[in-house]
Amino acid sequence: LDVLDTPPEAIFDSLTRLAALTFQTPIALVSLVDADRQWFKSCLGLDVRETSRDVAFCDHAIREAGVMVVLDATQDARFADNPLVTGDLGIRFYAGAPLVTPDGFKLGSLCVIDPQPRAAFSAEDQAALTDLAGIVVSELELRFTKRELETEAQGRAQMVSFLRETQAVNEALLGVSTLTQLDLPPQDTAAFAIELVAQAAQAPAADLVGADVDRHGNHEVSVGEVLEKGRPGQAAHGGRNAGDGQSLPHRRVCVRIR
């Protein structure tokens, strides 16, 4: 679920607070088991964020079908010599509900811990802890789904941008092809082609080729007007026109290629 070593999140911290309050323990953890460690997505009552897996109670909890309950760790052969029991932490009571994904994969546990042993942890308590663990899993799944959707949306946006750029390039190429079939002086054909490419690239024409363009006459003619007027195969001979007999205003184009 791509959650290991991520920053604390309010929703998981609220669930450990609720677990600690419900079962009256000073410690509650959302523990995720990695290859050689257990890492705490939420950690209430401890100053550490991870421990070695070989001493982790949660490594045993994920092997259980339901909630693992240890009423007094000093009396349990699996944990009596565990440094988390014999050391400063002094774990005595532990109850952990496995975090099980919808496809049956066990990620870790939601656990509550007390340095004081207990006489019992009822079936109702175990059911309540299991329900809270289910909420933890739902939040982890929701977090994962949200990230997947954000990634997919970003990918779609990039694809749309690429398709638009491709369309602009194709339209520019089609426009250049049309220009070559019109009866225009080479300088005008080149200048209009530069404009088309500049539009597709969304950049000033001068930035693309270092072009200095001088226009004279009473009117300016856009490349769009030329293409709209032009009819391939119908250009007049010996004059400057756009294919329908109408004269284009005089243009003098000086192109400097850098």
Side-chain angles (χ1 to χ4, degrees):
L1 296 176
D2 198 22
V3 68
L4 290 173
D5 299 314
T6 56
E9 296 179 51
I11 181 59
F12 299 108
D13 290 343
S14 67
L15 289 169
T16 52
R17 285 196 302 271
L18 179 58
L21 179 63
T22 300
F23 303 108
Q24 293 297 293
T25 61
I27 299 171
L29 310 169
V30 172
S31 173
L32 302 175
V33 178
D34 200 3
D36 57 1
R37 60 173 176 155
Q38 66 170 346
W39 177 81
F40 307 133
K41 176 60 180 172
S42 180
C43 179
L44 176 69
L46 285 182
D47 294 330
V48 298
R49 298 297 297 180
E50 64 181 62
T51 71
S52 174
R53 180 169 178 170
D54 59 3
V55 299
F57 279 58
C58 289
D59 184 49
H60 294 268
I62 62 174
R63 305 174 194 275
E64 300 283 338
V67 176
M68 186 181 85
V69 178
V70 179
L71 297 176
D72 186 348
T74 64
Q75 304 302 311
D76 191 311
R78 295 172 297 177
F79 305 111
D81 296 327
N82 189 304
L84 300 179
V85 176
T86 60
D88 293 339
L89 185 56
I91 292 176
R92 295 297 181 266
F93 168 76
Y94 172 96
L99 304 175
V100 187
T101 64
D103 57 1
F105 186 76
K106 294 181 178 179
L107 303 171
S109 72
L110 171 65
C111 62
V112 289
I113 297 171
D114 198 328
Q116 300 297 322
R118 296 206 176 179
F121 193 70
S122 69
E124 290 79 7
D125 289 337
Q126 294 181 42
L129 186 60
T130 298
D131 289 343
L132 288 175
I135 297 173
V136 171
V137 172
S138 295
E139 289 296 332
L140 288 171
E141 291 283 338
L142 180 62
R143 179 185 184 279
F144 177 73
T145 300
K146 179 182 177 182
R147 291 188 62 180
E148 276 197 326
L149 291 175
E150 289 173 348
T151 299
E152 290 176 4
Q154 183 179 17
R156 286 195 297 269
Q158 291 174 345
M159 179 58 70
V160 169
S161 177
F162 171 75
L163 291 175
R164 286 174 176 168
E165 292 173 0
T166 301
Q167 181 182 14
V169 170
N170 289 339
E171 290 175 352
L173 292 175
L174 178 61
V176 171
S177 176
T178 301
L179 283 172
T180 62
Q181 300 177 58
L182 300 178
D183 185 21
L184 297 174
Q187 296 94 332
D188 283 1
T189 300
F192 284 129
I194 289 169
E195 291 183 25
L196 284 171
V197 174
Q199 291 171 13
Q202 296 184 345
D207 288 352
L208 298 180
V209 297
D212 293 328
V213 180
D214 236 352
R215 295 184 177 182
H216 296 276
N218 297 323
H219 304 282
E220 292 287 349
V221 179
S222 72
V223 64
E225 292 172 328
V226 172
L227 293 176
E228 184 177 350
K229 289 175 177 292
R231 297 290 185 272
Q234 298 180 8
H237 296 286
R240 300 181 61 207
N241 60 64
D244 60 358
Q246 298 184 22
S247 294
L248 295 175
H250 176 71
R251 283 167 55 95
R252 180 168 60 82
V253 180
C254 302
V255 179
R256 181 178 70 252
I257 305 297
R258 289 173 178 166

